[in-house]
Amino acid sequence: MGDTAVLSPALLREHPLPEPTGGKDARGGVLVLGGARGTPGAVLLAGLAALRVGAGRLSLGVAASVAGPLAVAVPEAGVLGLPERPDGAVAGPGDGVLDAELARADVVVVGPGLDAPAGTLALLRTVLAHAPATTPLVLDAFALGVLRDASDVREAVRGRAVLTPNSTEAAYLLGSSDAAPDEGHDDGDEPVAARLADAYGTVVVCAGVVAEPGGRRWRSSTGHSGLGTSGSGDVLAGAVAGLLARGADPVQAACFGVEAHGLAGDRLAAAVGPLGYLARELLDELPRVLVELRSR
């Protein structure tokens, strides 16, 4: 079992983020797929987080009935309408709707705001079939809920994905009801993030711990209980995706993403209160804390 390094500005400065020059295409494009009729806000948060950490181009795919309102709410993004069931759940990718976006996306996020297994699996399989094999993926929320039992998808994402589970999703992925991600450091047990990384062959971010397959892991020095609020995980997933789009490798994107997310929460805890700040408020903090991580 390897040691867990503590993330810090000094440590992160030893591995500076890529600083692309040129226009928006040089900073990479992010495609976020999710957003059932009742939860398009999850896609909005993830997408804006990707832009806030420096991605250059953003596309969003959501249930068709909310695509228009989302396009107005996020004028910086191109928005695609996906087929939906009568209850508003995303039914799948549609016939060729995503092909062009998948071909040009530098990173694809799947999961925020999804709520139906069949539609989620169809989206994942379409992404894996049509996105270039070199395109990294960020899997969040409901995409993690279907990953464990879809052996074809599970095998296909090995080596190319970052998983961002919360504690409930982590326990499900491990087939356990008691996989508390905050445990496993004082008693010699493996952190849950490390167990997931080895089991799924991906980089994993869980409860402030980043792990890659094979033993290396890092723990955030930041973060407050106020981060446990609706939409916070969507912001984290989008931040990781935006850093990947800029050219960071998966471990680097995960480490910078989790530290920036935690620092943003610390700033809001001081300014607003330890509880009660909103996930959307994290977005404005992200550019500032990334500057701090580069300069302190």
Side-chain angles (χ1 to χ4, degrees):
M1 186 179 69
D3 294 331
T4 300
V6 177
L7 292 171
S8 67
L11 179 62
L12 292 172
R13 280 200 305 271
E14 295 177 7
H15 307 279
L17 289 169
E19 295 289 351
T21 58
K24 63 184 179 182
D25 289 332
R27 299 209 311 274
V30 175
L31 170 62
V32 184
L33 300 176
R37 184 190 302 157
T39 49
V43 169
L44 178 151
L45 290 170
L48 289 180
L51 292 179
R52 286 297 195 180
V53 300
R57 189 181 67 249
L58 177 64
S59 299
L60 309 174
V62 295
S65 61
V66 292
L70 186 61
V72 173
V74 189
E76 299 87 352
V79 181
L80 300 172
L82 303 176
E84 64 185 280
R85 302 186 327 198
D87 63 0
V90 172
D95 189 10
V97 171
L98 295 175
D99 289 357
E101 290 297 334
L102 289 171
R104 74 170 187 155
D106 295 289
V107 184
V108 181
V109 183
V110 185
L114 292 175
D115 59 7
T120 302
L121 272 175
L123 279 175
L124 281 169
R125 286 172 173 147
T126 295
V127 169
L128 291 165
H130 293 282
T134 54
T135 302
L137 313 176
V138 178
L139 304 187
D140 184 52
F142 215 79
L144 299 169
V146 301
L147 181 61
R148 187 188 72 180
D149 299 322
S151 59
D152 59 324
V153 175
R154 182 170 172 170
E155 188 59 32
V157 303
R158 295 180 73 88
R160 67 179 294 190
V162 178
L163 311 186
T164 58
N166 60 27
S167 59
T168 301
E169 292 156 352
Y172 182 80
L173 286 167
L174 289 170
S176 170
S177 61
D178 59 356
D182 289 330
E183 297 176 356
H185 291 275
D186 294 333
D187 59 6
D189 291 338
E190 287 280 10
V192 163
R195 292 161 58 193
L196 284 169
D198 288 341
Y200 285 83
T202 66
V203 173
V204 174
V205 177
C206 186
V209 175
V210 177
E212 67 173 354
R216 289 200 304 168
R217 60 272 188 116
W218 301 260
R219 175 176 285 278
S220 177
S221 62
T222 69
H224 195 278
S225 58
L227 284 172
T229 188
S230 179
S232 177
D234 302 314
V235 173
L236 175 59
V240 172
L243 294 168
L244 285 166
R246 283 179 52 172
D249 65 58
V251 166
Q252 185 184 37
C255 286
F256 270 91
V258 75
E259 191 72 356
H261 183 252
L263 271 175
D266 287 351
R267 299 295 180 269
L268 290 170
V272 178
L275 300 175
Y277 58 83
L278 305 177
R280 75 182 76 158
E281 295 175 299
L282 295 166
L283 297 170
D284 288 345
E285 300 294 330
L286 289 174
R288 290 190 279 265
V289 299
L290 281 179
V291 170
E292 292 178 27
L293 289 174
R294 292 199 301 269
S295 62
R296 288 199 299 175

